[in-house]
Amino acid sequence: MTDLPLPLPQSPEYARACAVLGITCRVGEDMLPGAAALRWQLQTRRLPLVGTVSLLSRGPVAAQPADAESWLREWRMAEPLVLNADGLSGAALRRAGFWPLLTPATLALVPLGPETEMRAALRQKWRNRLARGARGNLALRRMPLQGAHWLLGAEAAQARARRYRNLPPAFLAAFAKANPGAALIWEARQGGTPVAAIAVLRHGRMASWTTGVATAQGRAANAMPLLLWEAMRWLAARGHDQLDLGILNDDDAPGVTRFKLGTGARPHRLGGTWLRCRALAPLARHLPKGLAT
């Protein structure tokens, strides 16, 4: 299964970080008819008034969507399952007895590879900002993520101010502790003063940009394009072939969306959030299509 690109919530690295935090992940690797392999990883929690609920985020992971659909139809665990779907159609989920909860989000995924190809994929304005950043007097450095780094506190404050949710600093610290060398920070300094930084988590063939903060001075110096470009080059050179930049949100942060797409990222639409439980499964199979797309 290691040859499949595993999204962060489906990776062994994520499970190890959860273990540090006292959260247990159940993992399965199944062989399907025809020797096709499939991997799933879920968390199980007990919620007030609801009972035990399992969460399967961006899985199961299979080479072909049809293999994942077949696995879902055979789901036999007793507790309700909340599924953040990836690569599964609404029709397939309805047939498997899932009920729609939330509409799909769209991610930005950057293909990583030869530097010439990555540079050619950059949008012109992004490339111009990168060139201006490279001509500036910014000093860059890469380092292992540590809980005491200023980026984590600055990111938490930024998330509160802008009212968005992100992986909490405690999870990033746990990921770094559980996976030495897999949690990294790229930092830019100007005149000895830190002006921008990003955090990236490595997980198999994929990596995820989870955190980024730039001061007004850093934004004026175009530090963020330079940091992200250096991270892309470094990751590609070490065999990663995809960088997940997270959710695109045109309504709340159009500037962030333009920045992410400027890297050459491809929009990747997820399948929405769904619930499967025994009581609702027969009804879900007969939902009007308009309620489950």
Side-chain angles (χ1 to χ4, degrees):
M1 288 302 295
T2 55
D3 61 333
L4 288 175
L6 297 176
L8 179 60
Q10 288 300 306
S11 67
E13 292 84 357
Y14 186 93
R16 288 194 286 268
C18 287
V20 170
L21 297 172
I23 301 170
T24 301
C25 290
R26 280 188 284 174
V27 181
E29 293 190 0
D30 302 325
M31 297 302 296
L32 302 173
L38 178 143
R39 188 181 198 281
W40 55 271
Q41 180 168 286
L42 57 81
Q43 303 170 37
T44 301
R45 298 184 180 182
R46 189 165 186 82
L47 302 179
L49 304 179
V50 177
T52 301
V53 177
S54 292
L55 171 64
L56 178 58
S57 183
R58 297 186 64 186
V61 180
Q64 300 295 330
D67 294 332
E69 293 172 10
S70 175
W71 180 85
L72 285 177
R73 288 195 298 271
E74 299 303 319
W75 180 260
R76 289 292 180 268
M77 291 188 181
E79 70 269 8
L81 173 67
V82 176
L83 172 67
N84 186 304
D86 190 353
L88 294 163
S89 69
L93 288 160
R94 287 196 306 274
R95 288 195 298 270
F98 283 81
W99 191 275
L101 297 178
L102 297 173
T103 56
T106 300
L107 303 177
L109 301 181
V110 183
L112 301 177
E115 184 174 337
T116 53
E117 295 181 8
M118 293 193 299
R119 187 175 289 275
L122 300 177
R123 293 188 180 180
Q124 187 62 52
K125 290 184 178 180
W126 209 95
R127 191 182 296 120
N128 292 343
R129 292 182 61 192
L130 175 61
R132 289 195 293 269
R135 290 194 299 266
N137 59 340
L138 293 170
L140 305 187
R141 62 173 183 164
R142 184 189 70 254
M143 68 200 79
L145 186 150
Q146 296 178 343
H149 195 276
W150 66 267
L151 171 62
L152 301 187
E155 161 68 15
Q158 179 176 273
R160 288 193 299 269
R162 299 182 182 178
R163 297 183 180 180
Y164 65 83
R165 296 183 64 184
N166 206 350
L167 288 173
F171 179 86
L172 299 181
F175 189 99
K177 180 179 180 180
N179 304 285
L184 298 169
I185 287 177
W186 275 262
E187 181 187 73
R189 289 178 172 251
Q190 194 172 59
T193 301
V195 296
I198 63 173
V200 174
L201 305 183
R202 304 170 64 194
H203 42 98
R205 288 170 49 184
M206 295 184 67
S208 295
W209 176 35
T210 64
T211 307
V213 172
T215 66
Q217 187 178 353
R219 290 190 292 272
N222 291 287
M224 291 298 282
L226 190 59
L227 288 174
L228 189 51
W229 174 247
E230 288 302 311
M232 289 165 58
R233 293 174 62 243
W234 190 90
L235 292 166
R238 282 150 186 82
H240 298 280
D241 54 24
Q242 196 172 90
L243 176 60
D244 186 342
L245 300 183
I247 293 175
L248 297 173
N249 192 332
D250 289 329
D251 295 333
D252 293 339
V256 175
T257 291
R258 288 193 296 270
F259 177 82
K260 291 180 179 180
L261 294 178
T263 63
R266 299 169 181 169
H268 175 73
R269 188 171 173 83
L270 298 177
T273 301
W274 298 70
L275 169 68
R276 189 183 193 281
C277 65
R278 290 180 176 177
L280 292 177
L283 295 174
R285 295 186 181 98
H286 301 286
L287 276 176
K289 292 183 178 181
L291 295 179
T293 56

